[in-house]
């Protein structure tokens, strides 16, 4: 249930609830002041794992609408600290290509090797088929790390797609995490410049260039037109240089393979957008009621047939802002399908949902290990953001 803040915050901004949005930023900044990173949730037992880093996006969106320089000044030191957290110690990964160039990227890595306090019974049961303590501790870290990524759980992190004990989240360099950190670098550069911190701005522009190079070299697969997660051979030794090997790109189709299109640096490149759009069109992920998370029906909640609001939002917004007419109309089509399914399910159940079954309009999502939640901050936020971005097409019925 992470990543909620940023997307919910978008909804608040559409609703002109600026003070509430700023208060969320203040809360997250105070977590960084205290712990050095945004916790998985604001509870004592979430203190050993973070969440997808989207605070810079929130500060930027609020600034763009309110021009609140004080908020930028107050947030900047925390953003620098958060950037440091994701680019040091166990989170930092160096990969060397066959020409000897080194690329530095980031990975999720929970600082926790016990059952997750909020799912202790389930985690112990999952680990019960492992024989010794060190294997169990390893699995507990992988479970907490998958929770840190927001994609808990998914075949994306599993060596064997039908065996959760093969979860290997720390051995994977994730495309979406690095897209968020690239955005963080660009956001920090912009925000720093805004408050006259030109050296910081300069430094973060350089960092963003290095990361986009790294993403193009390590993740980009030109033949597929997607950015692919990268599997490491050894997960626990930090300060080690990994040799890049094309066979270690995860070739399975996940919606996360398209998340970089959200970032202006990629969506302003027409050649890339055309390729990515064609690839998404042919991927099998575009379904009747939105973008599926993957093509694998594993019973895990971050897999087929579930669709999640933040994923629809980032891909559609990226395509829409590319300036290409075709890409914008694909984005609008995704938004219309998503809003229709939100509305149909709302009429049927009286609530918005955390996830939807994208195979048919009005179907809510299932799977996973807890009762599906209703409410729901990020779904509400994305519905409002889509309506703000696209309006509602005159000739479209709101019904399925
Ligand atoms: C890459 O890193 C390795 C290990 O630290 C180092 O030996 C090598 O010189 C680096 N390559 C470049 C081009 O900096
Ligand atoms: C959680 O983090 C704290 C502070 O870094 C550390 O002392 C503690 O050992 C960690 N807990 C686990 C279970 O790894
Ligand atoms: C635990 O089991 C693994 C896999 O069978 C083995 O490699 C490892 O040495 C064992 N560790 C201990 C402490 O027995
Ligand atoms: C994957 O896990 C399932 C369930 O535990 C098992 O039956 C199957 O043999 C495993 N596949 C491989 C290739 O190890
Ligand atoms: C609505 O109008 C657009 C633009 O004229 C057109 O491309 C689209 O096919 C129409 N949709 C429907 C459902 O009629």
């Amino acid at each position: 249930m992470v990543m909620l803040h940023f997307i919910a915050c978008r909804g608040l901004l559409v609703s002109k609830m600026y003070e509430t949005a700023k208060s969320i930023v203040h809360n997250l900044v105070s977590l960084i002041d205290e712990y050095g990173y945004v916790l998985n949730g604001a509870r004592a037992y979430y203190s050993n794992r973070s969440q997808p880093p989207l605070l810079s996006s929130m500060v930027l969106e609020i600034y763009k609408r309110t021009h609140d320089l004080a908020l930028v000044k107050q947030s900047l030191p925390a953003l620098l600290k958060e950037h440091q957290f994701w680019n040091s110690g166990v989170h930092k990964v160096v990969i060397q290509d066959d020409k000897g160039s080194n690329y530095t990227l980031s990975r999720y890595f929970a600082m926790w090797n016990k059952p997750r306090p909020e799912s202790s019974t389930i985690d112990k049961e999952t680990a019960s088929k492992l024989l010794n303590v060190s294997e169990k501790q390893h699995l507990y870290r992988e479970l907490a790390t998958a929770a840190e990524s927001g994609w808990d759980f998914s075949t994306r992190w599993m060596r064997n797609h039908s065996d959760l004990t093969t979860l290997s989240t720390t051995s994977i360099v994730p495309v979406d995490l690095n897209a968020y950190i690239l955005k963080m670098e660009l956001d920090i550069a912009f925000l720093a410049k805004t408050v006259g911190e030109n050296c910081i701005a300069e430094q973060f522009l350089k960092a963003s260039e290095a990361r986009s190079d790294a993403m193009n070299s390590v993740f980009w697969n030109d033949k597929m037109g997607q950015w692919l997660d990268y599997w490491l051979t050894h997960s626990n030794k930090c300060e080690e240089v990994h040799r890049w090997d094309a066979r270690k790109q995860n070739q399975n189709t996940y919606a996360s393979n398209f998340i970089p299109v959200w970032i202006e640096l990629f969506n302003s490149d027409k050649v890339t957008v055309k390729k990515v759009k064609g690839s998404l069109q042919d991927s099998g992920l575009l379904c009747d009621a939105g973008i599926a998370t993957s093509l694998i029906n594993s019973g895990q909640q971050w897999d087929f047939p579930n669709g999640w609001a933040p994923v629809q939002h980032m891909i559609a917004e990226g395509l829409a802002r590319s300036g290409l007419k075709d890409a914008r109309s694909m984005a609008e089509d995704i938004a219309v399908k998503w809003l229709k399914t939100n509305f149909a399910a709302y009429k049927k159940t009286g609530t918005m949902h955390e996830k939807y079954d994208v195979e048919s309009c009005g179907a809510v999502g299932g799977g996973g290990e807890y009762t599906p939640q209703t409410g729901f901050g990020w779904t509400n936020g994305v519905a409002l953001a889509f309506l703000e971005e696209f309006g509602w097409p005159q000739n479209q019925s709101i019904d399925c």
Side-chain angles (χ1 to χ4, degrees), residues 116-374:
R116 289 169 300 153
E118 76 278 20
S119 302
S120 186
T121 312
I122 296 172
D123 284 2
K124 281 181 191 153
E125 186 170 331
T126 306
S128 66
K129 57 173 159 161
L130 299 177
L131 297 176
N132 66 43
V133 173
S134 73
E135 279 188 313
K136 284 183 204 269
Q137 286 179 340
H138 178 79
L139 175 61
Y140 291 143
R141 189 187 304 286
E142 300 302 333
L143 288 161
T145 303
E148 180 176 67
S149 80
W151 283 51
D152 48 313
F153 295 103
S154 169
T155 56
R156 188 179 166 200
W157 314 125
M158 288 153 69
R159 286 184 198 278
N160 176 336
H161 290 172
S162 43
D163 184 353
L164 193 59
T165 67
T166 66
L167 210 54
S168 310
T169 327
T170 64
S171 299
I172 294 164
V173 191
V175 166
D176 46 358
L177 172 63
N178 284 282
Y180 303 148
I181 299 174
L182 172 62
K183 187 164 187 308
M184 187 199 295
E185 288 160 351
L186 293 162
D187 294 345
I188 290 175
F190 175 87
L191 295 167
K193 195 148 188 266
T194 306
V195 294
E197 295 280 3
N198 292 330
C199 290
I200 297 177
E202 200 58 33
Q203 178 198 338
F204 276 82
L205 267 188
K206 277 215 185 90
S208 72
E209 282 161 18
R211 192 173 306 265
S212 67
D213 267 1
M215 291 182 67
N216 286 332
S217 302
V218 175
F219 297 146
W220 178 248
N221 184 306
D222 201 53
K223 213 164 124 206
M224 287 174 69
Q226 299 174 26
W227 292 267
L228 306 177
D229 289 337
Y230 188 78
W231 280 77
L232 302 171
T233 316
H234 314 284
S235 66
N236 287 324
K237 299 176 198 140
C238 41
E239 304 300 332
E240 183 187 359
V241 175
H242 299 265
R243 285 299 183 121
W244 191 82
D245 178 345
R247 289 167 302 182
K248 293 188 196 156
Q249 285 188 329
N250 184 347
Q251 309 271 325
N252 294 325
T253 300
Y254 292 101
S256 49
N257 300 1
F258 297 92
I259 293 292
V261 83
W262 185 46
I263 315 298
E264 191 184 346
L265 192 139
F266 293 120
N267 72 38
S268 57
D269 174 12
K270 292 204 169 18
V271 177
T272 301
V273 174
K274 273 192 190 137
K275 200 164 255 180
V276 169
K277 181 192 164 278
S279 176
L280 181 58
Q281 189 83 61
D282 298 339
S283 68
L285 293 178
L286 291 183
C287 296
D288 285 350
I291 304 169
T293 312
S294 78
L295 302 177
I296 302 162
N297 192 337
S298 65
Q300 302 296 344
Q301 60 170 354
W302 284 84
D303 270 313
F304 191 84
N306 284 342
W308 295 82
V311 170
Q312 320 295 318
H313 169 72
M314 289 173 181
I315 295 174
E317 187 173 87
L319 291 170
R321 297 194 173 169
S322 66
L324 289 182
K325 205 163 161 250
D326 282 1
R328 186 169 177 92
S329 76
M330 179 191 250
E332 192 169 319
D333 189 50
I334 292 165
V336 164
K337 285 177 169 154
W338 185 254
L339 286 165
K340 280 186 174 188
T341 202
N342 285 182
F343 187 60
Y346 179 79
K347 278 195 298 185
K348 218 161 36 182
T349 64
T351 52
M352 300 291 272
H353 296 259
E354 62 165 356
K355 56 184 182 265
Y356 293 82
D357 174 348
V358 295
E359 286 173 303
S360 70
C361 186
V364 300
E369 58 177 28
Y370 60 85
T371 314
Q373 302 292 300
T374 57

Side-chain angles (χ1 to χ4, degrees), residues 47-48 111-114 141:
S47 63
N48 285 52
M111 297 159 286
W112 188 257
N113 61 3
K114 297 194 278 195
R141 189 187 304 286

Side-chain angles (χ1 to χ4, degrees), residues 8-22:
C9 187
R10 272 301 290 271
L12 293 174
L13 294 178
V14 175
S15 312
K16 301 193 165 56
M17 292 173 67
Y18 302 125
E19 291 313 311
T20 313
K22 287 178 195 176

